[in-house]
Amino acid sequence: MKKNRKKLLLSIIIPAYNEEKTIAQIIKKVKKAKVHKDIRKEIIVIDDASYDKTHSLLQKTKGIKVLKHKENMGKGAAVRTGLEEAKGDLIIVQDADLEYDPNDYARLMEPIMKKKTKVVYGSRLRNYPIRIVGTSRTPLLAHYLGNKFLTLFTNFLYGGEITDMETCYKVFHKEVVDGLVLNAQRFDFEPEITAKILKRGYKIYEVPINVKPRGYNEGKKIGWKDGFGAVYTLVKYRFLD
């Protein structure tokens, strides 16, 4: 007689700040997203002191855990709050907009489920063409080039082989972040956690993903100052931590 296999828990951490236009829709997509048959979901949303209708919409949504910051602290701080609460065997970070597609979860988790790795990043930049002109020109070209530079700089400092350090879709086995001290407040979360994962000797496995970038008029928050902050963070944790 076969024993019932214990289902693994996937903690989905969603930091949100003034995302009233998309928060309900992305949570619906997260709930519907298919994952491995031996996985169940835990959805944790951190409202980073939104002043629009984000929090009222979250309060009306069933099947999620909502945490609220009293003051706006940034994406990194929100993710750290989520990590403190997460009980999952696996953890993934999900932005509250619609750039990233939760239907990628199954593919992202597959290498971990097959015990090929403990960390998977969803890469937006593998085989991604640069088009300067035309109707199909690369959106947010400056961001694309900035991401490429930061990724190359990461690989140079830490001996990595990744193509997209700044991606939101990062999937971890819980052992990767257990005991990991994170200090990020804003978008420095991406370089900090990548630096510390690589310093711990974990190999990052990448899975290609597609995204639908949004512009600043649609609520995009990361800016050029965050790029300089990422460089500082990468150097800091290479030599000082």
Side-chain angles (χ1 to χ4, degrees):
M1 186 175 180
K2 292 184 179 180
K3 292 183 179 180
N4 291 329
R5 184 183 298 178
K6 181 182 177 182
K7 285 197 172 186
L8 298 176
L9 179 64
L10 171 66
S11 293
I12 302 161
I13 296 174
I14 308 177
Y17 176 59
N18 291 342
E19 298 287 4
E20 64 179 9
K21 294 180 180 179
T22 58
I23 191 66
Q25 195 172 348
I26 194 63
I27 291 174
K28 186 176 181 180
K29 284 177 173 286
V30 168
K31 287 182 175 181
K32 286 186 174 181
K34 293 182 179 180
V35 293
H36 193 279
K37 63 180 180 180
D38 292 324
I39 291 178
R40 56 193 178 91
K41 301 173 189 170
E42 170 189 57
I43 303 172
I44 304 171
V45 186
I46 304 88
D47 175 12
D48 194 26
S50 299
Y51 55 80
D52 64 358
K53 296 179 182 178
T54 297
H55 194 68
S56 61
L57 290 170
L58 291 173
Q59 287 181 312
K60 297 175 184 177
T61 306
K62 296 180 180 180
I64 64 173
K65 183 177 293 185
V66 180
L67 306 173
K68 183 173 175 61
H69 286 170
K70 292 182 179 179
E71 59 184 44
N72 182 249
M73 299 169 67
K75 178 181 177 178
V79 174
R80 289 194 288 113
T81 296
L83 287 172
E84 291 171 2
E85 188 71 21
K87 296 178 174 61
D89 304 283
L90 304 175
I91 298 166
I92 188 170
V93 179
Q94 169 71 57
D95 280 350
D97 56 37
L98 301 175
E99 286 194 25
Y100 292 80
D101 187 355
N103 286 320
D104 284 327
Y105 287 178
R107 292 192 307 110
L108 288 165
M109 289 185 293
E110 186 176 359
I112 297 178
M113 297 300 292
K114 290 184 175 180
K115 303 187 183 302
K116 292 182 179 180
T117 185
K118 301 283 186 175
V119 187
V120 176
Y121 280 20
S123 175
R124 304 161 295 173
L125 306 183
R126 277 194 170 188
N127 304 317
Y128 193 85
I130 298 179
R131 296 189 177 96
I132 307 298
V133 296
T135 56
S136 61
R137 65 183 179 272
T138 302
L140 298 170
L141 182 60
H143 279 266
Y144 170 84
L145 295 174
N147 286 344
K148 291 289 283 187
F149 168 76
L150 290 172
T151 299
L152 289 171
F153 192 53
T154 301
N155 291 335
F156 172 73
L157 287 178
Y158 295 92
E161 298 178 353
I162 57 177
T163 64
D164 189 4
M165 180 274 289
E166 288 281 357
T167 181
C168 165
Y169 271 174
K170 294 175 167 68
V171 189
F172 316 103
H173 191 282
K174 66 177 180 180
E175 78 170 46
V176 176
V177 292
D178 278 351
L180 195 65
V181 178
L182 297 170
N183 305 298
Q185 290 293 117
R186 286 177 47 80
F187 297 103
D188 49 334
F189 170 78
E190 315 296 357
E192 181 184 4
I193 198 164
T194 302
K196 292 184 174 180
I197 284 171
L198 290 173
K199 284 184 76 171
R200 280 190 164 194
Y202 288 103
K203 182 176 176 60
I204 298 173
Y205 192 105
E206 287 187 315
V207 172
I209 59 171
N210 294 312
V211 295
K212 295 179 180 178
R214 65 173 176 172
Y216 288 102
N217 61 325
E218 298 172 293
K220 194 173 188 68
K221 300 176 178 70
I222 193 169
W224 63 268
K225 291 183 180 179
D226 295 298
F228 286 105
V231 171
Y232 172 77
T233 299
L234 289 167
V235 173
K236 174 184 175 182
Y237 290 117
R238 175 63 181 87
F239 299 107
L240 300 180
D241 186 86

